[in-house]
Amino acid sequence: MNIWIIVALVVLIAAFVWVGVEIALTLRKVRGKVDGLVDKVDGTVDGLQGTIKNVDKAVADLNPAIQEVKPLLGKVETTVDALSLDLLQVNTILSDVGTVTGAASDATTAVSGVVDKAAAVAGRAVSKITGKGGEQEAQPLPEAEAAAIDAAAPEVETVSDDSGYFTYPASAPTDSDNE
C-alpha cells in the first residue's frame, strides 16, 4: 500500500508542476498582451494631449472674440430699435401721403363733376340761344382738332388699380414750350 501512496504522491506532484507551468505560461502571455495594451493606451494619451493642447490654444484665440460678442449684440439691439422707429415714421408718412392722395382724388372727382355739370348747363344755354333746341347728339371733332387736343394732354401712367394714384412724366410740357 505504500507504493500506491507514493505513486499517488508522484502523480499529484506532477499535476501540481503541470498546473504551475500552465499558470506561468498564461501569466507570460497575459503580461505580453497587457504590455501591448499599455503601449497603445500611451500612444492614444500622447495623441489626446496634443489635441487637448490644440483645443486649449483655439479657445485662448477665441476668448477675445467671445468677449466682443456681448457689446456687438448690444449694438445690434440698438440698431434694430432705431430701425424700428424709422420704419414706424415711414409708415406714418406713407399713411399721411395716402390720406392726402385720397383727398386729392376726391377733390379731382368733385371738380370734374362740377365742370361736367357746368359744361352741360352751358351747352343747354347755347343750344337755347342758337335755337337748335333741346339735347342733341355730340358731334365728333375733326381729326386735326382731336390730334391737337391729344398732343396737348400730358401722358399719365396708372401705377395701381386705384385710379387715384398716378405717375407723371419727368418733363411735362409747359406753356413756354407751346409758343
Side-chain angles (χ1 to χ4, degrees), residues 8-43:
L9 284 175
V10 169
V11 170
L12 258 158
I13 290 174
F16 279 128
V17 169
W18 178 72
V19 168
V21 170
E22 285 296 320
I23 289 175
L25 289 175
T26 304
L27 286 176
R28 191 176 289 165
K29 286 181 184 177
V30 169
R31 187 179 311 143
K33 298 279 183 184
V34 169
D35 287 343
L37 285 175
V38 167
D39 291 341
K40 286 183 180 180
V41 168
D42 285 343

Side-chain angles (χ1 to χ4, degrees), residues 2 45 139-140 144 159:
N2 265 340
V45 168
Q139 299 287 326
V159 176

Side-chain angles (χ1 to χ4, degrees), residues 70-82:
K70 274 190 179 180
L72 284 175
L73 288 177
K75 290 177 183 178
V76 166
E77 183 179 359
T78 303
T79 304
V80 168
D81 289 345

Side-chain angles (χ1 to χ4, degrees), residues 106-116:
D106 292 345
T108 302
T109 303
V111 168
S112 177
V114 169
V115 168
D116 288 346

Side-chain angles (χ1 to χ4, degrees), residues 36-173:
L37 285 175
V38 167
D39 291 341
K40 286 183 180 180
V41 168
D42 285 343
T44 304
V45 168
D46 290 341
L48 285 176
Q49 285 177 348
T51 303
I52 290 171
K53 286 179 185 176
N54 289 339
V55 169
D56 285 342
K57 183 179 177 185
V59 168
D61 290 345
L62 287 176
N63 273 336
I66 291 170
Q67 298 301 323
E68 293 293 322
V69 168
K70 274 190 179 180
L72 284 175
L73 288 177
K75 290 177 183 178
V76 166
E77 183 179 359
T78 303
T79 304
V80 168
D81 289 345
L83 199 66
S84 294
L85 289 175
D86 289 344
L87 288 175
L88 286 173
Q89 290 174 346
V90 166
N91 188 26
T92 303
I93 291 169
L94 290 177
S95 175
D96 292 345
V97 167
T99 303
V100 168
T101 304
S105 174
D106 292 345
T108 302
T109 303
V111 168
S112 177
V114 169
V115 168
D116 288 346
K117 287 180 184 178
V121 168
R124 278 183 282 196
V126 167
S127 66
K128 283 183 182 179
I129 292 173
T130 60
K132 297 201 176 178
E135 299 276 330
Q136 53 178 317
E137 292 183 28
Q139 299 287 326
L141 291 176
E143 283 187 36
E145 287 182 42
I149 290 173
D150 287 342
E155 290 184 32
V156 178
E157 176 186 348
T158 302
V159 176
S160 69
D161 292 337
D162 184 1
S163 61
Y165 295 96
F166 299 100
T167 301
Y168 295 95
S171 61

